Amino acid sequence: MLSVDVTHRIGDFSLDCRFCSDERVTGLFGPSGAGKSTLLRIMAGLIRPERGRVEIAGRCVFDSANAIHVPAHRRRIGYVFQQARLFTHMNARHNLRYGAWFARGKLDAARFDQVVDMLDIGPLLDRRVAGLSGGEQQRIAIGRALLSNPAMLLLDEPLASLDAARKEEVLPYVERLSVETQLPIVFVSHQLDELLRLANRQVVAVRDGRVAYSGPTAEFLARPDLLGADQARDAGALLRVRVRAHQPADGLSELDCGGQSLFVPRVDQAPGRAVTVHVRARDVMLARERPQAISALNILSGTVESLAADGDYAVNVLIDVGDQRLEARVTRRSAQHLGLAAGQPIHAVIKSLALAEQAWERLGGL
Amino acid sequence: MLSSAQAEVLSLSLWVATTAVLASLLPALAVAWFLARSRWRGKMLVDALVHLPLVLPPVVTGYLLLVGLGRNSLVGSWLAETFGLVFAFQWTGAALAGAIMGFPLLVRPIRLSLEAIDTRVEAAAATLGASPVWVVLTVTVPLALPGVIAGMVLAFARALGEFGATITFASNIPGETRTLPIAIYTFIQVPGGENEALQLILISIAVSLSALIVSELIARRVKRLQAPL
């Protein structure tokens, strides 16, 4: 679906990246200055790399060996930038219609209304864009990209320029984007929580212009070394579970994790729907025997799969719970005290509240 | 209210100034674009050349035009033979002098407004399917419009008031090159012509003032349509 193999140099910065992804949503993760935006600009045709090949939605748009370089305006890329970059000399409606005009009038009214509804921008249509808030502008920018009839969407940290409140306002729309459109999406972020919410299957981690990791998100999350110092705390596992039932009296939802129950603060999904839950390794406690009279609601039984020392005092423990893997990060002292060893039955204890501010991801099409 | 002689002077002046602005608009856009976007080091030289008429004594500009484009000069005779285009001692010469004197005033605001445009917005237009030409037509030019209008008004006013280069290059021929300032000058030179001169002076004040007001109204309208972020 997406395959990139490029070399490029800008001043002192050199980019040499190779990855491919067959998932519909691909996360591009890395610290600022790692080269994420440069990669997107190369995909969009705004930068012509020195060497390489780029294939988007099965179509080769750049190939230095065969002198192929499809210009940006013929690539059909819906690009949402960090700043909205709206046309200030047009109102919101004309911004939205701009791309369709070049797609030879392929914009039908129903599609327009559908996008306007999805982004809740109906009341903004006849306003001047300069008068809109940052969040509103970014929603118009998303709509503008969607309505240009793109073959792929590139979202370059669309929330980065917004304050926390605006971010919460826009994030749900970006999430709907990944579920309600069937477009391939590349989502760029340096924030792990955003990334997990939107790209929970496939991640490409970029560091210093090189691909440090490319593969399933779940495996990526178990690699604190890739996450960077400030986000290594978020290392852990992604559990794929289903909503079993809601318990309105408690404000909780019960999830089905391979037959075992997982209670979390209410998830906004119908019973039977699949969601993924990010469980941080440092939030998981281990017990040899099933604890009694404990406040934590979630006790998952499993077996220790492997142990790996991490730093001076910590041990990362991989636990097999049914068909899934959980990761726990405990002190070496605790591991020795419990006599942890591979193959041993174990109980993983997780507070529901530790899952409170986690990201819930709806899986499109499930 | 206007005598036929005054009407003739006024309409000739307006015609000459309008021609000067419209004819120099496209070259000015091109030069402004080059000055705003080019990274070529030699552009300072081009910049200086464009601004030269602003600092040179107008008589010098007029004389250079006469030498360069006069009927007996190489370029002048070639233009006359090939296109039938004669500048010296014709209204076209007055328009050319006005255009050259107004050129720096036309280029400068356009250049400034082009430099103020965020090129990232143009990149966004490209990803939405706009080819480079369409990006210019639908994004760059509309965003630069206030600068273009400001430049046109300044250049128009400059062409309307042009005296030194015009009288040197195109002379003082009634009905052909005798524009407002030259007519005023002529009347002042004649004993008892003060009254005629005063009337023309009042006319030229009225014309200049209305040009300024109209441009301000247009600029406000444009600004309302596209308030910057």
Side-chain angles (χ1 to χ4, degrees):
Chain A
M1 202 172 247
L2 171 68
S3 126
V4 174
D5 172 9
V6 290
T7 329
H8 190 59
R9 184 176 292 277
I10 305 171
D12 289 339
F13 180 74
S14 88
L15 186 81
D16 186 359
C17 286
R18 184 176 313 166
F19 63 88
C20 55
S21 169
D22 286 322
E23 289 292 343
R24 201 170 63 77
V25 181
T26 307
L28 204 53
F29 181 79
S32 311
K36 307 184 297 290
S37 295
T38 307
L39 269 176
L40 281 206
R41 297 226 284 281
I42 286 173
M43 286 184 228
L46 297 175
I47 294 180
R48 183 180 185 150
E50 284 162 6
R51 187 211 63 80
R53 188 180 156 85
V54 178
E55 216 174 277
I56 284 169
R59 170 184 175 217
C60 175
V61 290
F62 177 75
D63 188 348
S64 58
N66 292 308
I68 296 172
H69 175 70
V70 179
H73 65 279
R74 296 221 188 89
R75 287 200 182 182
R76 294 182 56 219
I77 295 289
Y79 201 143
V80 180
F81 302 87
Q82 290 183 26
Q83 271 89 25
R85 300 197 193 182
L86 296 179
F87 305 124
T88 49
H89 57 297
M90 302 177 191
N91 66 14
R93 185 190 301 276
H94 289 123
N95 268 278
L96 289 169
R97 287 180 179 272
Y98 187 83
W101 197 62
F102 294 105
R104 311 240 184 288
K106 276 173 203 149
L107 176 66
D108 57 298
R111 172 79 180 136
F112 186 82
D113 293 343
Q114 185 195 349
V115 169
V116 167
D117 277 352
M118 188 179 97
L119 297 166
D120 278 337
I121 47 181
L124 312 177
L125 286 179
D126 294 313
R127 303 250 314 262
R128 278 179 18 229
V129 294
L132 303 178
S133 74
E136 288 169 335
Q137 290 195 5
Q138 200 54 284
R139 271 147 66 197
I140 301 285
I142 293 169
R144 183 177 70 170
L146 268 180
L147 288 169
S148 69
N149 193 25
M152 177 174 229
L153 275 184
L154 303 180
L155 308 180
D156 187 2
E157 308 208 33
L159 310 172
S161 65
L162 306 174
D163 59 48
R166 295 280 92 74
K167 215 176 253 190
E168 283 309 310
E169 171 200 325
V170 178
L171 192 57
Y173 296 105
V174 180
E175 281 185 291
R176 288 178 80 171
L177 203 64
S178 65
V179 178
E180 292 181 17
T181 71
Q182 289 307 309
L183 286 171
I185 295 176
V186 175
F187 179 79
V188 172
S189 185
H190 66 277
Q191 298 281 103
L192 191 64
D193 53 344
E194 267 176 37
L195 193 83
L196 293 176
R197 240 161 122 160
L198 295 157
N200 61 358
R201 296 239 166 173
Q202 182 85 13
V203 167
V204 177
V206 183
R207 185 152 295 192
D208 298 329
R210 305 286 185 276
V211 172
Y213 173 87
S214 171
T217 307
E219 284 175 30
F220 172 68
L221 206 52
R223 297 269 308 269
D225 56 311
L226 291 172
L227 293 176
D230 50 334
Q231 283 165 342
R233 293 155 54 83
D234 288 333
L238 276 189
L239 294 180
R240 291 180 193 284
V241 296
R242 266 172 206 287
V243 179
R244 185 179 280 162
H246 296 301
Q247 305 196 335
D250 300 328
L252 297 177
S253 295
E254 184 180 354
L255 308 176
D256 178 349
C257 175
Q260 308 194 62
S261 282
L262 197 62
F263 291 93
V264 298
R266 189 181 157 83
V267 176
D268 206 13
Q269 289 294 310
R273 289 291 298 254
V275 295
T276 59
V277 182
H278 172 208
V279 185
R280 291 192 195 95
R282 66 188 177 95
D283 287 335
V284 179
M285 269 189 276
L286 297 179
R288 289 281 300 275
E289 284 157 24
R290 195 175 181 85
Q292 303 291 321
I294 183 169
S295 71
L297 289 175
N298 302 308
I299 301 168
L300 298 176
S301 311
T303 34
V304 174
E305 193 178 306
S306 65
L307 297 150
D310 180 10
D312 291 339
Y313 53 85
V315 175
N316 286 328
V317 187
L318 271 184
I319 302 148
D320 199 337
V321 281
D323 53 347
Q324 312 219 40
R325 254 201 214 139
L326 197 61
E327 198 180 339
R329 183 172 158 85
V330 297
T331 55
R332 200 162 63 206
R333 187 185 167 102
S334 312
Q336 283 164 356
H337 179 67
L338 288 178
L340 291 181
Q344 193 175 43
I346 198 85
H347 301 280
V349 182
I350 314 155
K351 281 166 68 85
S352 292
L353 287 178
L355 306 173
E357 285 162 29
Q358 300 296 330
W360 311 112
E361 166 111 20
R362 293 160 284 192
L363 294 178
L366 282 173
Chain B
M1 186 188 145
L2 291 182
S3 72
S4 70
Q6 286 170 342
E8 189 186 68
V9 167
L10 178 60
S11 65
L12 176 70
S13 289
L14 292 176
W15 173 243
V16 163
T18 308
T19 309
V21 172
L22 293 182
S24 54
L25 184 57
L26 275 181
L29 282 169
V31 170
W33 184 281
F34 169 77
L35 291 176
R37 298 283 169 93
S38 166
R39 287 183 192 161
W40 183 49
R41 285 189 181 185
K43 90 178 184 184
M44 259 181 63
L45 203 70
V46 178
D47 197 20
L49 210 62
V50 166
H51 281 90
L52 206 54
L54 211 55
V55 289
L56 222 50
V59 180
V60 174
T61 308
Y63 180 74
L64 290 177
L65 281 173
L66 195 59
V67 171
L69 293 175
R71 264 181 218 247
N72 298 326
S73 72
L74 263 174
V75 183
S77 58
W78 178 78
L79 279 176
E81 275 168 32
T82 326
F83 301 104
L85 195 61
V86 177
F87 286 110
F89 310 115
Q90 305 265 335
W91 74 268
T92 45
L96 180 67
I100 286 179
M101 297 305 289
F103 201 66
L105 297 172
L106 183 54
V107 167
R108 196 172 179 81
I110 300 177
R111 173 191 178 172
L112 290 178
S113 62
L114 283 176
E115 282 172 345
I117 291 175
D118 186 351
T119 53
R120 297 175 310 171
V121 173
E122 296 173 324
T127 65
L128 291 163
S131 65
V133 172
W134 279 117
V135 171
V136 170
L137 290 179
T138 60
V139 179
T140 320
V141 168
L143 284 175
L145 207 55
V148 176
I149 292 168
M152 284 174 76
V153 172
L154 283 174
F156 180 79
R158 186 69 188 81
L160 206 60
E162 171 42 38
F163 179 81
T166 310
I167 203 163
T168 313
F169 180 44
S171 185
N172 179 1
I173 304 165
E176 186 71 39
T177 67
R178 184 176 288 176
T179 55
L180 265 172
I182 296 176
I184 292 169
Y185 170 77
T186 311
F187 280 118
I188 294 174
Q189 296 301 305
V190 180
E194 288 88 355
N195 195 27
E196 284 280 347
L198 184 65
Q199 286 183 25
L200 287 178
I201 285 168
L202 290 176
I203 290 173
S204 80
I205 291 174
V207 170
S208 304
L209 211 56
S210 29
L212 279 178
I213 289 170
V214 167
S215 85
E216 181 61 27
L217 289 178
I218 296 175
R220 271 194 204 167
R221 214 184 145 70
V222 169
K223 271 220 180 82
R224 228 192 2 249
L225 289 175
Q226 53 166 70
L229 283 173

